[in-house]
């Protein structure tokens, strides 16, 4: 369906937002992704993905409290929206159903 | 202190970043910075910070504030749209401006291409920066200075053996050879080049291999066009061409076919054989001779070497070789070797001429300046016209200002207009140039060509923008300087700006008058050169080079055998009534290469003269008359053996009061007697004064006392004859028939003397034609500019003219009204142009030993021509203005 498409990186970031629950802001998301996938990327990529997700309505953000290590600047925390949660569920469902259709004996030929 | 991220990066981030995003983005960047800092990577942290700031500079993060939106970048599209609309709305003015600019650009491009060709001569060789041509200068201090770019044969080995800085040295010799086996053997120029020539110069091969270019002296390499000349469409590789080398006919095998040399190449040979053939022709003795110059020697420096390090050692090397002059050992500086960069050869007249012709750098500068001048004129044209138009647009400006347009915005907008126009003009001008080149080449005798590569598009765009900027700045400033309040009030805007505009109009007239008078004066000088009484008859004279005895050794044998062959042919030709005045001589008019000989006179002073060897009929055939004494007599044995005729310059140079009956002032000359003095006829070009000349039938008595001899032309004797009436075709047929019987193996090479003579002034004639083209275009530009200007004046006075007409004014009074402003400017331009033209043209005229005196006629003519254009244009507008019904003009507004 148009407009509900979720890119691979978008999906990854969205999942990470969900898993971090209340602690999801850009640097934390970046660290989490690096830890789980060992992928090389920088924070600006996360930022642009976050902006896209927010624009699509899959995530929403609010400013948190300031910390000294950030030069007194506040963090922008992201949480999943209802729509975001639904998109993730749909995606997962699609994957699982497709996965289940893989023939059991697919490896027989090898 | 704790490390901070770079301030400027922070500031940059704050400048472009959308305020909603700034805080958390910056916070994140800080946090990452801190992370790296705690790991102890201070420098890495800083670089990463900068990198991340730059990475954040993307569209989604950009600020949407007022400042950015109004900047030049974002407004460009809008400006362009408006500019195109404005230009389209006022089609007539845009067309005048466009045509003017296009003409200027076309002229600039045509002359520019020619200039570019001249200054980039030989630049196409990939090793050009390391290639040098050697020269040799002998200077014995008593006026005997011999400076040549032809060098001794031993230089090639000398350079390679004694200078580790020199990677390679190669020889280049051009020589006449007879090509073909029996019938119609023709004289071809074949170059003798070192087999490793291609290691130094870029000569693309079509067939053959660089490593086996000229594998032995039995091989020959030919150009593409000669391949088709001799072999048609066949592959010439491995086929043979018969060439007579040192009396024997050799079948040389084609070992390579190379592409024809490009126009901008000093080398233009079509056939090449190995320099090893030189051993067959010159003999071993010449390979050790220091004072016999034959080849041009080129060197390839090793990379990273400076030529001065080689040059500083040459003197030492020469002295260490034990060179002697006569019996005396050479002293320091008596024998100098120097080097000239390859890319310098084509335009450096200070080094003596080698094989390749040398262009005149002065002419290149003149043409570049004129190309630029015409382009500037086109810009001035645009400037004056748009400045004139500016009044029309004052309301628009006022409106924009009232609506809050800043001065900067207005400047951008008006400059966009001129730039759009200039870019269109450059595009059209480039197209016109492309199609005009064949005509231009045919008209001016140039060989320019146009090769478009994609990176040129950028250059043309830059030229267009620059022209737009130059031409558009002044009118833009005028327009934007209008005071808003005055515009709204409707008061006059142009006062105070008129002086500058008048100045520009004067400048334009000045260039026009200058160019017209320059062309006229040049034309006069060239006509003068062509029409000047040279002191001999040369109309309807045909010449052909005679075959010489192939077994002979030296100049004397060559002359004698050639003369004998000539006498044979002469007796045959004499039977034909249509051919008359048959004579023989070893040089032809219209060349600067006549035999140059030197001797030591009775006081042991160094003297020189030119030597001409003739048969007794020669002077009569050309109507060269003796002013003292007598001419050679046919059948006079004493004349044939020892008589000498000199010209007036020689008599003066040798200080002979009564030369007839006397001798030349050298102790070593043999038995000879001066029997006559002829008037100074101009045997070489009028660039130089007539030089002392000695005419003999037998060179032996003179050659006995000669210490140096130098012949630039071929020394083979030539037969000359005139034909009566309009029987050129018959005459050539007769010559061909008789020639065929006598010399069946060699084809005759005809030449017309008047062709040779006019060819001496080829480069002047070309210069004149090139400037002629520029003049034509500049006159058109000026006329167009004037046309536009007067239209503006007429439009601004449209009400005045209407009222005058209602009051009964005649067309003449309207004409007077319109032209009033321009007459004074034109006069001023003419007056200013005279000293400028005189100064510059005199510089050019100094190139000639014989030149015209400048009179006032060219200035009068060019002034009248310009005046005529002005009057014609004004008259046209007067007719237009008088045709308009006053009701129409007065009803405006």
């Amino acid at each position: 369906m148009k407009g509900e498409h979720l890119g691979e990186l978008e999906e990854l970031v969205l999942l990470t937002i969900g898993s971090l629950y209340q602690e999801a802001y850009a640097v934390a998301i970046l660290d989490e992704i690096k830890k789980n996938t060992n992928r090389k990327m920088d924070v600006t990529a996360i930022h642009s993905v976050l902006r896209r997700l927010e624009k699509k309505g899959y995530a929403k953000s609010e400013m948190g409290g300031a910390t000294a290590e950030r030069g007194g600047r506040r963090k922008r925390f992201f949480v999943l929206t209802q729509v975001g949660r639904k998109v993730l569920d749909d995606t997962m469902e699609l994957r699982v159903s497709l996965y289940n259709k893989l023939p059991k004996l697919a490896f027989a030929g090898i | 202190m704790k490390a901070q991220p770079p301030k400027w990066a922070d500031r940059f981030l704050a400048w472009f970043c959308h305020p909603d995003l700034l805080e958390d983005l910056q916070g994140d960047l800080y946090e990452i910075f801190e992370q790296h800092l705690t790991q102890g990577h201070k420098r890495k942290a800083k670089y990463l910070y900068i990198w991340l700031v730059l990475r954040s500079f993307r569209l989604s993060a950009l600020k949407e504030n007022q400042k950015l939106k109004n900047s030049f970048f974002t407004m460009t599209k809008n400006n362009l749209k408006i500019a195109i609309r404005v230009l389209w709305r006022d089609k007539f003015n845009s067309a005048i401006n466009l045509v003017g600019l296009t003409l200027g650009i076309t002229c600039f491009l045509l002359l520019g291409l020619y200039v570019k060709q001249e200054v980039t001569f030989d630049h196409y060789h990939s090793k050009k920066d390391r290639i040098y041509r050697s020269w040799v200068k002998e200077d014995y201090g008593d006026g005997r200075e011999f400076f040549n770019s032809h060098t001794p044969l031993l230089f090639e080995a000398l350079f390679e053996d004694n200078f580790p800085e020199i990677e390679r040295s190669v020889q280049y010799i051009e020589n006449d050879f007879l090509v073909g086996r029996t019938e119609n053997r023709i004289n071809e120029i074949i170059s003798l080049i070192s087999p490793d020539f291609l290691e130094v110069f870029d000569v693309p091969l079509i067939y053959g291999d660089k490593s086996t270019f000229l594998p032995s002296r039995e091989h020959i390499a030919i150009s593409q066009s000669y391949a088709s000349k001799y072999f048609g469409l066949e592959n010439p590789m491995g086929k043979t061409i018969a060439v007579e080398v040192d009396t024997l006919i050799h079948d040389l095998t084609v070992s390579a076919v190379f592409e024809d040399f490009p126009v901008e190449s000093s080398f233009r040979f079509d056939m090449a054989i190995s320099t090893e053939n030189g051993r067959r022709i010159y003999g071993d003795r010449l390979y050790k001779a220091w004072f016999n110059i034959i080849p041009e020697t080129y060197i390839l420096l090793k990379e990273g070497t400076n030529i001065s390090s080689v040059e500083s050692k040459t003197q030492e090397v020469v002295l260490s070789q034990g060179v002697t002059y006569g019996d005396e050992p050479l002293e320091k500086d008596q024998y100098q070797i120097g080097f000239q960069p390859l890319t310098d050869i084509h335009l450096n007249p200070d080094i003596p001429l080698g094989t390749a012709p040398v262009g005149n750098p002065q002419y290149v500068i003149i043409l570049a300046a004129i190309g630029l001048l015409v382009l500037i004129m086109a810009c001035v044209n645009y400037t004056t016209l748009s400045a004139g138009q500016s009044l029309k647009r004052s309301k628009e400006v006022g409106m924009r200002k009232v609506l809050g347009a800043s001065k900067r915005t207005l400047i951008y907008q008006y400059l966009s207009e001129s730039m759009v126009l200039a870019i269109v003009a450059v595009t059209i001008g480039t197209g016109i140039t492309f199609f005009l080149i064949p005509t231009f080449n045919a008209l001016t005798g140039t060989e320019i060509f146009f090769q478009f590569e994609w990176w040129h598009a950028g250059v043309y765009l830059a030229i267009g923008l620059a022209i737009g900027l130059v031409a558009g700045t002044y009118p833009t400033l005028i327009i934007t300087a209008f005071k808003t309040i005055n515009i709204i009030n409707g008061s006059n805007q142009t006062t105070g700006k008129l002086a500058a505009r008048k100045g520009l109009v004067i400048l334009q007239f000045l260039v026009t008058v200058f160019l017209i008078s320059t062309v006229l004066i040049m034309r006069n000088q060239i006509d003068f050169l062509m029409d000047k009484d040279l002191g001999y008859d040369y109309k309807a004279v045909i010449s052909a080079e005679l075959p010489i005895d192939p077994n002979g050794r030296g100049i004397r044998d060559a002359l004698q055998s050639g003369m004998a062959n000539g006498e044979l042919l002469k007796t045959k030709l004499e039977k034909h009534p249509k051919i008359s005045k048959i004579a023989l001589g070893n040089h032809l008019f219209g060349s600067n290469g006549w035999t140059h000989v030197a001797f030591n006179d009775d006081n042991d002073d160094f003297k020189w003269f030119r030597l001409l060897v003739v048969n007794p009929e020669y002077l009569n055939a050309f109507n060269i008359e003796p002013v003292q004494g007598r001419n050679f007599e046919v059948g006079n044995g004493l004349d044939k053996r020892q008589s000498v005729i000199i010209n007036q310059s020689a008599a003066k140079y040798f200080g002979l009061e009564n030369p007839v009956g006397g001798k030349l002032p050298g102790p070593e000359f043999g038995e000879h007697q001066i029997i006559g003095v002829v008037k100074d006829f101009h045997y070489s070009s009028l660039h130089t004064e007539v030089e002392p000349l000695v005419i003999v039938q037998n060179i032996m008595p003179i050659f006995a006392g000669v210490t140096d001899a130098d012949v630039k032309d071929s020394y083979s004797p030539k037969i000359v004859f005139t034909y009566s009436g309009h029987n050129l075709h018959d005459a050539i047929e007769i010559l061909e028939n008789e020639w065929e019987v006598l010399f069946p193996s060699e084809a005759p090479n005809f030449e017309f003397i008047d062709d040779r003579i006019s060819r001496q002034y080829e480069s002047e004639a070309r210069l004149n034609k090139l400037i002629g083209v520029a003049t034509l275009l500049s006159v058109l530009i000026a006329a167009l500019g004037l046309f536009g200007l007067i239209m503006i004046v007429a439009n601004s006075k449209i009400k005045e003219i209407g009222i005058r007409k209602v009051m009964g004014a005649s067309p003449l009074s309207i004409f007077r009204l319109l032209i009033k402003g321009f007459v004074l400017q034109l006069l001023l331009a003419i007056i200013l142009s005279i000293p400028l033209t005189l100064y510059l043209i005199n510089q050019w005229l100094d190139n000639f030993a014989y030149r015209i005196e400048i009179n006032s006629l060219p200035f009068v003519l060019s002034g009248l021509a310009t005046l005529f254009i002005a009057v014609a244009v004004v008259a046209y507008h007067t007719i237009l203005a008088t045709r308009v019904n006053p009701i129409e003009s007065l009803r405006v507004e």
Side-chain angles (χ1 to χ4, degrees):
Chain A
M1 237 186 294
K2 210 182 171 191
E4 284 183 23
H5 174 75
L6 201 59
E8 191 265 343
L9 184 61
E10 284 176 346
E11 187 183 342
L12 194 61
V13 172
L14 205 56
L15 281 169
T16 316
I17 292 174
S19 68
L20 286 171
Y21 192 45
Q22 298 283 339
E23 290 298 320
Y25 73 102
V27 179
I29 296 170
L30 178 72
D31 289 344
E32 186 69 16
I33 290 180
K34 270 185 181 168
K35 198 171 77 193
N36 288 327
T37 66
N38 214 6
R39 219 203 245 260
K40 259 184 102 105
M41 55 195 311
D42 69 47
V43 77
T44 61
I46 302 291
H47 269 278
S48 63
V49 171
L50 287 174
R51 273 199 292 277
R52 276 209 301 278
L53 289 173
E54 199 171 9
K55 214 170 163 189
K56 287 178 179 176
Y58 300 158
K60 62 182 181 193
S61 68
E62 58 188 35
M63 301 303 277
T67 43
E69 60 175 358
R70 294 168 62 88
R73 288 170 186 85
R74 291 175 296 167
K75 291 174 183 169
R76 184 184 291 271
F77 287 108
F78 286 81
V79 289
L80 279 182
T81 60
Q82 291 288 330
V83 190
R85 174 76 210 198
K86 177 143 196 333
V87 167
L88 281 179
D89 288 346
D90 289 352
T91 315
M92 207 47 68
E93 196 179 310
L94 180 67
R95 293 218 169 155
V96 171
S97 74
L98 285 175
Y99 184 80
N100 288 336
K101 280 183 196 161
L102 285 179
K104 295 273 183 269
L105 295 174
F107 297 105
I110 299 173
Chain B
M1 210 187 94
K2 221 182 116 191
Q4 293 287 321
K7 277 244 168 58
W8 64 267
D10 251 1
R11 236 177 275 144
F12 178 62
L13 186 69
W15 177 72
F16 73 76
C17 190
H18 199 283
D20 289 352
L21 303 172
L22 181 63
E23 186 173 357
D24 64 297
L25 176 60
Q26 210 168 21
D28 288 347
L29 296 188
Y30 255 78
E31 195 176 328
I32 291 170
F33 182 75
E34 287 290 328
Q35 276 177 15
H36 280 93
L37 221 55
T38 47
Q39 287 162 26
H41 306 300
K42 194 168 149 187
R43 182 181 286 229
K44 190 180 165 194
K46 272 194 184 175
Y47 285 136
L48 191 70
Y49 190 87
I50 295 170
W51 168 242
L52 289 177
V53 166
L54 294 178
R55 285 265 291 153
S56 308
F57 186 77
R58 42 178 86 179
L59 211 60
S60 60
L62 284 187
K63 212 184 255 189
E64 290 175 21
N65 67 8
Q66 217 49 31
K67 207 164 114 204
L68 215 63
K69 227 180 183 175
N70 262 355
S71 83
F72 185 57
F73 302 104
T74 37
M75 279 299 276
T76 301
K77 208 172 138 194
N78 189 30
N79 278 334
L80 283 181
K81 216 184 271 177
I82 294 177
I84 291 167
R85 278 184 199 152
V86 168
L87 292 172
W88 193 247
R89 191 177 62 210
D90 203 350
K91 289 191 197 68
F92 191 72
N93 274 314
S94 305
I96 289 184
N97 277 332
L98 187 65
V99 173
L101 276 182
T102 306
L103 288 177
I105 286 161
T106 307
C107 181
F108 175 74
L109 284 179
L110 284 173
L111 295 187
L113 283 172
Y114 179 74
V115 168
K116 181 189 154 251
Q117 184 179 68
E118 286 290 295
V119 299
T120 58
F121 234 77
D122 296 320
H123 278 235
Y124 69 95
H125 295 287
S126 55
K127 295 172 188 158
K128 63 173 194 294
D129 297 332
R130 294 191 283 140
I131 304 174
Y132 291 81
R133 181 174 72 175
S134 60
W135 49 256
V136 56
K137 189 192 268 178
E138 295 166 59
D139 187 353
Y140 303 105
D142 52 357
R144 281 178 303 154
E145 191 192 275
F146 307 98
F147 185 16
N148 276 292
S149 55
H150 289 276
T151 55
L153 283 163
L154 54 76
F155 269 22
E156 184 182 25
L158 180 84
F159 290 149
E160 287 197 348
D161 296 346
N162 293 285
F163 296 94
E165 299 91 337
I166 292 175
E167 189 174 313
R168 232 171 250 274
S169 77
V170 292
Q171 288 181 349
Y172 180 81
I173 306 168
E174 278 184 5
N175 208 338
D176 285 342
F177 288 93
L178 288 170
V179 176
R181 188 160 281 285
T182 47
E183 265 164 50
N184 287 325
R185 284 204 300 171
I186 46 174
N187 208 351
E188 296 271 20
I189 295 171
I190 301 182
S191 297
L192 281 80
I193 61 179
S194 306
D196 52 356
F197 192 79
L198 302 200
E199 299 292 335
V200 180
F201 295 99
D202 293 3
V203 185
L205 295 181
I206 294 168
Y207 295 115
D209 195 303
K210 196 168 143 186
S211 55
T212 56
F213 178 55
L214 286 171
S216 81
R217 62 180 190 178
E218 305 303 334
H219 287 88
I220 185 165
I222 55 177
S223 71
Q224 196 176 6
S225 52
Y226 266 52
S228 54
K229 175 175 168 184
Y230 279 93
F231 301 103
L233 294 172
E234 289 172 68
N235 181 346
M237 290 293 282
K239 298 215 166 54
T240 58
I241 294 177
V243 177
E244 187 187 306
V245 184
D246 195 40
T247 78
L248 290 172
I249 297 178
H250 297 265
D251 284 324
L252 303 183
T253 311
V254 176
S255 58
V257 177
F258 51 86
E259 277 179 22
D260 287 356
F261 280 90
V263 181
E264 64 272 30
S265 174
S266 288
F267 294 112
R268 297 292 279 274
F269 57 85
D270 283 307
M271 301 178 118
I273 55 178
S274 166
T275 37
E276 285 173 55
N277 288 285
R279 298 269 175 191
R280 286 171 167 163
I281 305 167
Y282 305 119
D284 281 345
R285 192 180 59 85
L286 283 188
Y287 278 84
K288 297 182 195 105
W290 284 85
F291 301 99
N292 237 308
I293 52 167
I294 296 167
E296 285 180 79
T297 311
Y298 290 85
I299 59 159
L300 178 67
L301 272 190
K302 281 201 180 125
E303 257 170 287
T305 320
N306 199 333
I307 190 68
S308 55
S309 69
V310 181
E311 258 169 348
S312 59
K313 272 198 290 185
T314 53
Q315 189 75 51
E316 183 191 317
V317 169
V318 171
L319 294 178
S320 73
Q321 301 276 320
V323 189
T324 55
Y325 181 65
D327 298 327
E328 307 274 310
L330 272 185
E331 282 167 37
K332 204 173 183 311
D333 291 338
Q334 283 189 334
Y335 197 94
Q336 296 171 28
I337 300 171
F339 300 92
Q340 173 192 24
L342 172 73
T343 49
D344 187 44
I345 291 174
H346 184 63
L347 284 180
N348 188 346
D350 297 335
I351 308 281
L353 205 61
T355 318
V358 167
N360 189 333
Q362 198 190 5
Y363 293 179
V364 174
I365 295 169
I366 291 176
L367 288 173
I370 286 178
L372 213 57
L373 202 63
V374 175
L375 187 64
I376 289 172
M377 200 168 133
C379 289
V380 166
N381 207 359
Y382 178 86
T383 304
T384 47
L385 284 179
S386 345
Q389 288 291 324
S390 59
L391 199 62
K392 247 190 182 177
R393 309 198 47 187
S394 57
K395 287 229 176 76
E396 178 193 334
V397 178
M399 194 54 83
R400 277 172 186 273
K401 281 194 166 180
V402 167
L403 288 176
S406 72
K407 193 163 175 178
R408 180 188 292 234
T409 332
L410 285 174
I411 290 177
Y412 286 150
Q413 195 218 311
Y414 288 106
L415 275 184
S416 306
E417 239 168 74
S418 64
M419 283 180 180
V420 166
L421 202 70
I423 287 169
V424 174
V426 168
T427 314
I428 300 176
T430 313
I432 293 180
T433 307
F434 181 74
F435 287 108
L436 217 58
I437 280 177
T439 322
F440 179 80
N441 278 338
L443 204 68
T444 57
T446 50
E447 284 181 86
I448 59 168
F449 56 95
F450 189 83
Q451 212 171 14
F452 187 80
E453 281 163 43
W454 280 107
W455 63 269
H456 289 173
V459 176
Y460 287 114
L461 189 69
I463 294 178
L465 291 177
I467 292 172
L469 195 67
V470 169
T473 301
Y474 178 66
T476 302
L477 289 180
I478 289 185
I479 291 173
T480 52
F482 288 158
K483 292 249 168 8
T484 320
I485 188 73
N486 291 348
I487 299 168
I488 308 297
N489 281 344
S491 31
N492 197 353
Q493 295 298 324
T494 46
T495 33
K497 308 287 179 204
L498 277 175
R501 216 177 91 196
K502 273 185 183 153
L504 290 176
V505 174
I506 292 174
L507 180 68
Q508 211 174 24
F509 278 135
L510 182 79
V511 173
T512 311
V513 177
F514 163 70
L515 282 176
I516 297 178
S517 42
T518 305
V519 166
L520 290 176
I521 295 170
M522 280 192 163
R523 190 74 249 162
N524 281 350
Q525 170 69 13
I526 292 167
D527 286 346
F528 168 79
L529 296 175
M530 298 292 186
D531 297 342
K532 184 165 167 43
D533 180 15
L534 298 177
Y536 50 86
D537 289 347
Y538 57 89
K539 296 273 178 321
V541 177
I542 299 177
S543 75
E545 191 166 315
L546 293 159
I548 56 173
D549 175 13
N551 295 309
R553 287 270 172 208
I555 294 180
R556 190 179 137 228
D557 284 0
L559 282 174
Q560 272 181 352
S561 61
M563 285 289 186
N565 283 337
E567 291 294 342
L568 282 177
L569 184 61
K570 182 167 163 278
T571 22
K572 297 271 188 184
L573 291 179
E574 271 166 350
K575 287 182 292 192
H576 297 278
K578 285 171 180 165
I579 287 176
S580 55
K581 293 187 170 177
I582 310 160
L584 310 168
N586 71 327
H587 287 303
L588 293 173
F589 300 108
S591 139
N592 295 324
W594 285 29
T595 308
H596 181 277
V597 294
F599 66 98
N600 288 341
D601 73 359
D602 297 330
N603 305 323
D604 211 24
D605 283 339
F606 177 77
K607 286 272 182 346
W608 63 273
F609 56 85
R610 303 240 174 222
L611 183 68
L612 173 67
V613 187
V614 298
N615 78 339
E617 285 98 343
Y618 189 87
L619 295 177
N620 269 336
F622 288 105
N623 271 339
I624 297 167
E625 277 160 27
V627 286
Q628 281 174 47
R630 63 179 176 84
N631 201 339
F632 292 125
E633 284 163 359
V634 181
N636 183 331
L638 203 63
D639 270 7
K640 195 172 170 60
R641 247 190 342 271
Q642 63 169 46
S643 293
V644 168
I645 293 177
I646 60 174
N647 69 353
Q648 287 169 307
S649 293
K652 214 169 122 192
Y653 178 65
F654 295 136
L656 303 172
E657 295 277 327
N658 289 306
V660 178
K663 296 183 72 174
L664 294 176
E668 312 277 333
F669 291 129
E671 276 305 310
H672 73 280
Q673 191 190 23
I674 298 171
I675 58 161
V677 177
V678 288
K679 61 187 176 184
D680 276 340
F681 57 94
H682 297 277
Y683 52 92
S684 65
S685 83
L686 296 165
H687 287 100
T688 49
E689 304 244 7
V690 178
E691 293 166 333
L693 176 71
V694 173
I695 307 167
V696 296
Q697 293 190 54
N698 174 15
I699 58 168
M700 289 326 284
I702 300 301
F703 254 49
V706 164
T707 53
D708 278 295
D710 179 20
V711 194
K712 289 255 159 63
D713 286 349
S714 144
Y715 47 73
S716 307
K718 288 95 186 165
I719 190 163
V720 290
F721 58 87
T722 56
Y723 55 94
S724 54
H726 303 285
N727 291 318
L728 172 61
H729 186 73
D730 296 353
I732 288 177
E733 204 178 289
I734 292 164
L735 177 72
E736 275 177 341
N737 289 338
E738 298 293 357
W739 187 285
E740 180 72 37
V741 177
L742 282 176
F743 321 113
S745 61
E746 288 175 38
N749 263 350
F750 305 112
E751 246 189 309
F752 297 92
I753 299 288
D754 41 0
D755 279 356
R756 281 177 67 98
I757 286 170
S758 52
R759 223 178 300 142
Q760 294 178 305
Y761 312 113
E762 222 172 23
S763 67
E764 283 79 19
R766 185 183 310 137
L767 178 71
N768 184 261
K769 283 174 183 159
L770 285 167
I771 295 182
V773 169
T775 308
L776 189 72
L777 290 173
S778 75
V779 168
L780 276 175
I781 294 170
L784 213 59
L786 205 59
F787 187 82
L789 267 182
I790 291 172
M791 193 174 65
I792 294 165
V793 173
N795 279 341
S796 70
K797 295 191 174 171
I798 195 156
K799 276 190 213 161
E800 185 184 339
I801 293 172
I803 293 168
R804 279 170 189 263
K805 274 178 73 181
V806 172
M807 308 298 269
S810 68
L812 190 66
S813 67
I814 292 170
F815 174 81
R816 233 182 270 143
L817 177 77
L818 287 176
I819 207 167
K820 209 169 55 188
F822 294 104
V823 173
L824 197 67
Q825 291 168 26
L826 181 58
L827 283 179
L828 207 59
I830 294 173
I831 292 166
L832 287 175
S833 83
I834 291 174
L836 178 76
T837 313
L838 278 179
Y839 173 74
L840 291 173
I841 203 85
N842 271 320
Q843 303 263 314
W844 179 70
L845 285 172
D846 284 345
N847 283 319
F848 303 92
Y850 302 90
R851 46 168 283 188
I852 50 165
E853 284 309 312
I854 302 170
N855 56 26
S856 55
L857 193 65
F859 297 103
V860 174
L861 283 178
S862 63
L864 282 178
T866 321
L867 185 68
F868 174 77
I869 293 165
V871 167
V873 170
V874 175
Y876 175 75
H877 278 291
T878 310
I879 293 168
L880 283 189
T882 47
R883 280 229 182 119
V884 177
N885 192 334
I887 296 172
E888 302 289 327
S889 57
L890 290 175
R891 208 199 272 146
V892 177
E893 287 173 42

